[in-house]
Amino acid sequence: MKLLTLNFLTCARKTCKATAASFPLHCREVELEQVEMDPNPLFIKNMLPRLDWKAMKGLTQELGLPQLPNEAPSEEELQGADGEPTQVLNDLHTLLMETSVVSGKLVCGNCEYEYPVKDGIASFLLPSHMV
Ligand SMILES: [Zn+2]
């Protein structure tokens, strides 16, 4: 699953939905994979305003990836004067689209339930007593 996906996931438990601690889920013992993809500058540009930047920054810290700046880049920082994508945009593409979690656990910061990730797919099925 792409790191971008983690920016849109919260704990599946009803009791956690209302708490701020259930987002973002935390990565534990994860194995990452880099899969090359054609860059889509427009997609990144449109995605950026919907991204929870603070959560994304926290994620890169947890994973020991290159650190993001404190503030999301502005639109001007994504495209050079010549209209070409900038390094900032290319780095975001690498981080959000090309970096994937292959295996490990996604952990809720509220209930500490661990959602397993296997072969790049996270399972959000809960045992019936926890739903
Ligand atoms: Zn939870």
Side-chain angles (χ1 to χ4, degrees), residues 11-13 16 22 108 110-113 115:
C11 182
R13 294 180 76 178
C16 288
S22 67
C108 173
N110 188 52
C111 69
E112 301 199 341
Y113 188 77
Y115 297 94

Side-chain angles (χ1 to χ4, degrees), residues 12-13 113-116 122-128 130-131:
R13 294 180 76 178
Y113 188 77
E114 296 178 339
Y115 297 94
S123 167
F124 284 93
L125 290 176
L126 290 166
S128 57
M130 287 178 68
V131 175

Side-chain angles (χ1 to χ4, degrees), residues 28-109:
R28 200 170 285 170
E29 295 157 28
V30 298
E31 184 194 337
L32 296 177
E33 179 184 54
Q34 205 77 13
V35 183
E36 210 170 301
M37 272 185 73
D38 285 335
N40 184 344
L42 190 63
F43 179 82
I44 299 287
K45 228 193 272 182
N46 291 337
M47 178 56 61
L48 204 56
R50 296 202 281 150
L51 212 59
D52 186 319
W53 188 260
K54 218 180 117 204
M56 208 60 230
K57 187 175 163 62
L59 181 66
T60 58
Q61 274 163 353
E62 269 181 19
L63 295 173
L65 294 169
Q67 295 300 290
L68 293 172
N70 287 329
E71 300 289 333
S74 65
E75 216 170 287
E76 294 75 49
E77 288 173 86
L78 299 177
Q79 213 169 31
D82 54 2
E84 287 300 303
T86 59
Q87 190 61 46
V88 173
L89 190 138
N90 288 335
D91 288 348
L92 278 176
H93 170 73
T94 301
L95 176 70
L96 300 173
M97 304 301 290
E98 295 188 326
T99 311
S100 294
V101 177
V102 185
S103 67
K105 296 162 189 164
L106 304 177
V107 187
C108 173

